[in-house]
Amino acid sequence: MSTDQHDPTPRTAPARPAAADLPIPSVWTRPRRSRREQPALSREQIVSAALDLLDTDGLEALSMRKLGARLNAGATSMYTHVSTKDELIELVVDEVYGEIGVPAADDPAGWREAAARSAHGLRTTILRHPWLAPVLGGLGLTQLGPNAMRLSEGLLALFRAAGLPSDEADLAVSTLSAYVIGMSSSEAAWLTTVARSGRTEREWFQGLWPTAEEAVGEHPQLHAQYTSLRDRDPREARDEKFAYGLRRVLDGLATRITDGAGGTDGAGGTDGTTAGA
Amino acid sequence: MSTDQHDPTPRTAPARPAAADLPIPSVWTRPRRSRREQPALSREQIVSAALDLLDTDGLEALSMRKLGARLNAGATSMYTHVSTKDELIELVVDEVYGEIGVPAADDPAGWREAAARSAHGLRTTILRHPWLAPVLGGLGLTQLGPNAMRLSEGLLALFRAAGLPSDEADLAVSTLSAYVIGMSSSEAAWLTTVARSGRTEREWFQGLWPTAEEAVGEHPQLHAQYTSLRDRDPREARDEKFAYGLRRVLDGLATRITDGAGGTDGAGGTDGTTAGA
DNA sequence: CGGCGACACCGAACACTGTACGGAGCTCCG
DNA sequence: CGGAGCTCCGTACAGTGTTCGGTGTCGCCG
C-alpha cells in the first residue's frame, strides 16, 4: 500500500525549535503523507475521541486542549471541523443516541413491550454515559440529529400503529421520553456523585446516613422512606423504581389505547388548567 | 439611633485610585459601622443575589466575580460564607424550591387534584428559572435542602393518605417528579435557546422551519408532526403537551389507588426486566 | 485598659478554560 | 509557475474557580 495513514508517530514531529539548532531538515525527518488525501483529523474522529474522554473522565474533563492532545493535534485544530464546543457536544449526544435500538412498529398489540424496550434502552444509554444528564437538561427533547430523529420517528410510528392519531402519538412519545429522561438523569446524577467519591454506591449511602438522618428532621414520611432504603441493594432499588414508574406511565398511555380510543381524553378532573403556587 | 446599617453608599467607596490623588482620608470619609454586629455579607444575601443574576442573565453569567461586584464585595469574599460555587448553586436551588407550595394531605379523595397542583407548581418554577434545567440534571431528585424536603414530605404524605403503602408512595412521588422535571426541563431548554436568539417563540420556530424540514428528511411521522405544529400557538401547545402527559401519569398512578389497592402491581407484561439494546 | 485570638474581607496569583486571529505548509487547478 | 484554498497550529485574550497570605476590626479575657 502507498498510504501509511495510521502512522504511530506524532504528525508534526518535534513541534518547533524556534529558529536555530534544528537537525538539518532532510526528507526523512519531514512528516510524510499528504494532508489532502487523508486530512488526519475528521469530524467523526473528533466526536469519538470526545465521547471517549467524556465516558472515562466526565463532563468537566472535556476541554478542547485535552481533546487535541488525545488526537495528537493542536488545541485549536478542532475548530475547522466543529464550530464550537457546544456544537461538538451536540454531535456527541447524537452519536450516543445511535446506541439505542429503534423499535419496530409491526404488531400493534405488542406496543407496550416495544415501548418498554425503548424506554429501557434510553435508560441504559443514559446510565452508560452519565454526563448526558446535565447536557440533556440544557438541550431538551427536540433534537435534530439523525439518530435522535430515527428514534423519534420509530416511537411515533409505534404509537400510531397502536391506534393513536398523529397528534396524540406525539404527546405520548413526549410523555414517555420525559419520564425516562427525568428518572434516568436523576440516577445518573446520583451515580456521578458516588463515582466522584471513589466509594461504592452502598458505602456512599451509608456514609450519608448520619447527615441524612439529621436533615430529615421532623419529616416522618421521609424518615420512614430513608430507613427502609437502608438495607436494600441500591442498584436493585433503582431498577425497581424505574420499572415501577415506567409501568405507571404505560398504564396511563394504555387508557388511551386499549380502551375505545378517540374519546375526549378526560379521565381526570381539572388537572389541566389549575396553576400551582 | 447609633446604627446606620443600611447605608446606601458602597462599603469600600471608590475602590482604589492606585496610590496618589485620594481626597485626604479623614474620619468622615471612612466607612462606618462595625463588622461584627452586621457582617455586611451573609449567606442569604449571597444566595439571593446569585438567584437574581441567574434569573436575569442565565447560568453561564453567574461567576464569583460578577456576584461579588453586585454585592460591592471582592470576588473571593464569598468563600467565607459558601465553600464552593457548586454549593452556592445547591443553596440557590433549594431557595427556589421554596416557591412551590406544599400540598395539603387532607381529603384523600382529592389526591389527584392536589398532585396536579404540585406538578404545575414545579413546572412553573422551572419555567420561571430556566437555568434549573441543566442544574437539576446534575443534581438529581435526591435533594437534602429544607425546602426540597418539605415538598417531598408533603407529596409522600399525599400519596400515603390516598392509600398507598409507604414504599409505594415513594415510588409514586419519584414517578411524578421524574415526569414533571423531564418535561419542564425540556421546555426550559427550548425557552432558553429561543431567548438567546432574541426572537419570539413563534419567530424562532418559523425561522427553524426550513432547516427542520430538510433534517426531517424521509421521516413521515416527524414531518406530519412538525407541519401540524406549524400553525399553532407554541405556548399553548406546550401547555397542552404538559397537561396531557400529566394526565397520563396520574391515570397510571390511579390504577394503583382507586382500584382495590394492595395488588401485586402487575398490570403490564414484562415491562420490568427486558433490557433494551 | 491592653493585648490577643477570631473573623470577615480582599488583592494577587495560579492553573485552566473557550475561542479569534494570523500565519505556515501543503495540494490542486489554471 | 503562481495563486487559491485548505488544514493545522502558536499565540493571545479575556475570562473562570479557587488558594493563600495579609489586613483591619471586633469581642473577650486578663
Side-chain angles (χ1 to χ4, degrees), chain A residues 11-12 35 39-41 73-74 76-77 81:
Chain A
R11 291 192 335 289
T12 333
R35 208 184 313 255
L41 220 51
T76 63
S77 303
H81 303 269

Side-chain angles (χ1 to χ4, degrees), chain B residues 131-153:
Chain B
W131 49 267
L132 273 173
V135 167
L136 287 181
L139 245 48
L141 301 176
T142 317
Q143 228 64 41
L144 285 183
N147 286 325
M149 291 197 122
R150 253 194 293 276
L151 183 57
S152 295
E153 175 77 11

Side-chain angles (χ1 to χ4, degrees), chain A residues 20 156 261:
Chain A
L156 238 24

Side-chain angles (χ1 to χ4, degrees), chain B residues 110-185:
Chain B
W111 70 270
R112 188 169 173 132
E113 281 78 15
R117 225 171 357 253
S118 288
H120 275 102
L122 182 49
R123 173 176 180 249
T124 62
T125 292
I126 293 177
L127 295 186
R128 219 198 321 267
H129 310 287
W131 49 267
L132 273 173
V135 167
L136 287 181
L139 245 48
L141 301 176
T142 317
Q143 228 64 41
L144 285 183
N147 286 325
M149 291 197 122
R150 253 194 293 276
L151 183 57
S152 295
E153 175 77 11
L155 287 171
L156 239 22
L158 178 66
F159 283 109
R160 290 280 286 147
L164 290 183
S166 124
D167 319 3
E168 190 168 354
D170 176 38
L171 299 178
V173 172
S174 293
T175 303
L176 184 59
S177 314
Y179 166 71
V180 175
I181 291 185
M183 188 65 92
S184 311
S185 293

